[in-house]
Amino acid sequence: MKLTANGLSMLLAASASVYGQTAAPNRTVIVCVEPGAVSHGEVQVGEMFASKIFAGIGVSIDWRYNVDDCPAAGVRLNFSRNTPFFVRPDALAYATPYGRTKIHIFYDRIPQHGEPGTSSIVLAYVLAHEIAHVIEGIERHSGRGLMK
């Protein structure tokens, strides 16, 4: 499914309000970005939009770029640029919300899911979705909103 910039903007706004019904207010989630295949500059806009989604429901994201100092409660975020086609072929990312939490983004698949110029918005939605898995502590999905 391809999404337009307007469609993504509306989806992000609606997702925040739907997800907000279950979020804990005034919570901080530490996300430790692992160095590697993607430079910080390429994902900065996506991180900003994902942070705004959560800010609207009282959750702040503390982005950190030194994984050596990532606390035990922190979420490790990894990006790949050369994802083999057979690895979770229908996924843009996945989270392991149990135990030592980790989010793995298939960054090379992001541009295929929106109109040209919308990659940062798609990335923001993917980041927010995976962070929500971590906050909820489960891998379930829902019929609408951020966790669809």
Side-chain angles (χ1 to χ4, degrees):
M1 172 176 81
K2 292 197 179 242
L3 299 171
T4 65
N6 278 346
L8 281 169
S9 296
M10 289 187 297
L11 179 61
L12 290 172
S15 298
S17 64
V18 169
Y19 181 75
Q21 296 172 4
T22 61
N26 302 317
R27 176 173 177 183
T28 299
V29 177
I30 298 170
V31 178
C32 304
V33 182
E34 294 184 358
V38 178
S39 72
H40 174 66
E42 291 178 291
V43 299
Q44 192 170 24
V45 174
E47 291 172 354
M48 179 188 68
F49 281 122
S51 292
K52 285 184 177 187
I53 291 169
F54 285 106
I57 58 170
V59 176
S60 64
I61 308 298
D62 179 0
W63 300 97
R64 298 190 183 179
Y65 303 95
N66 184 352
V67 292
D68 294 333
D69 293 332
C70 191
V75 179
R76 290 183 177 262
L77 174 61
N78 175 305
F79 291 89
S80 70
R81 275 195 181 269
N82 298 305
T83 310
F85 70 92
F86 56 84
V87 174
R88 299 181 185 231
D90 295 329
L92 297 179
Y94 69 91
T96 55
Y98 311 108
R100 181 71 173 167
T101 54
K102 185 167 187 167
I103 295 171
H104 189 90
I105 306 289
F106 302 131
Y107 190 73
D108 52 326
R109 295 178 183 172
I110 299 290
Q112 302 166 21
H113 290 275
E115 292 180 351
T118 63
S119 292
S120 295
I121 297 170
V122 174
L123 177 60
Y125 175 77
V126 171
L127 287 167
H129 176 90
E130 299 306 331
I131 292 168
H133 276 304
V134 172
I135 290 171
E136 290 183 323
I138 57 176
E139 294 178 340
R140 74 161 178 84
H141 292 101
S142 65
R144 62 185 186 143
L146 183 63
M147 298 312 294
K148 181 173 181 180

